[in-house]
Amino acid sequence: MTIETQRNEAPHSSDSSVTFINVFEIDAAELDEFVVKCEQRALLMRDKPGFIDSRMHRARSSSSRFQLVNVSHWESQEAWEAATADPDFASRTQAAREQTKQPITPNPGVYDVVVELIAP
């Protein structure tokens, strides 16, 4: 049995798509309200140039360190940077973190695919 993989070793370029991933440490009791606010912020991003798609994942276990994982795809790093520079988006993001009883710790980053597995 062989595993087919594709390795992308080239550094990112301005014309390559990027994946934005943000994992959240958040008290499980505050998830529902926070998810509603995340969805509202995501709607702002949906209409931005370069937006491809976004999915928010919720942990099945309340004991998981990261209760939420947001994965978004953008046509380029520049498109993502321009979209996240929107003052309305920034103020809503800050407000969402401040309106919870327990602290929320986001862990954002932009990533390139380096290994890709595809089902046979």
Side-chain angles (χ1 to χ4, degrees):
M1 180 174 164
T2 63
I3 298 175
E4 292 185 35
T5 65
Q6 177 180 342
R7 268 191 160 193
N8 300 321
E9 296 181 20
H12 72 78
S13 63
S14 62
D15 64 344
S16 63
S17 65
V18 296
T19 302
F20 170 73
I21 301 173
N22 197 356
V23 293
F24 294 90
E25 293 181 76
I26 179 174
D27 187 277
E30 300 200 54
L31 278 173
D32 292 333
E33 184 178 344
F34 189 74
V35 167
V36 169
K37 292 175 184 171
C38 284
E39 186 175 11
Q40 293 168 352
R41 288 189 308 281
L43 290 172
L44 288 173
M45 296 290 102
R46 182 181 62 185
D47 297 328
K48 300 289 184 192
F51 175 82
I52 297 172
D53 64 20
S54 183
R55 288 185 172 81
M56 180 69 74
H57 304 267
R58 183 178 184 154
R60 288 190 170 191
S61 170
S62 62
S63 64
S64 293
R65 176 178 176 188
F66 300 115
Q67 288 296 302
L68 294 172
V69 178
N70 179 39
V71 179
S72 301
H73 297 100
W74 291 85
E75 290 177 0
S76 68
Q77 172 98 21
E78 294 77 13
W80 174 80
E81 288 172 355
T84 57
D86 179 297
D88 189 26
F89 176 76
S91 67
R92 287 184 190 207
T93 299
Q94 184 65 31
R97 284 197 302 259
E98 293 173 351
Q99 294 173 354
T100 58
K101 294 174 188 130
Q102 299 293 319
I104 295 172
T105 305
N107 299 276
V110 176
Y111 298 85
D112 295 312
V113 175
V114 293
V115 175
E116 181 175 8
L117 299 174
I118 300 171

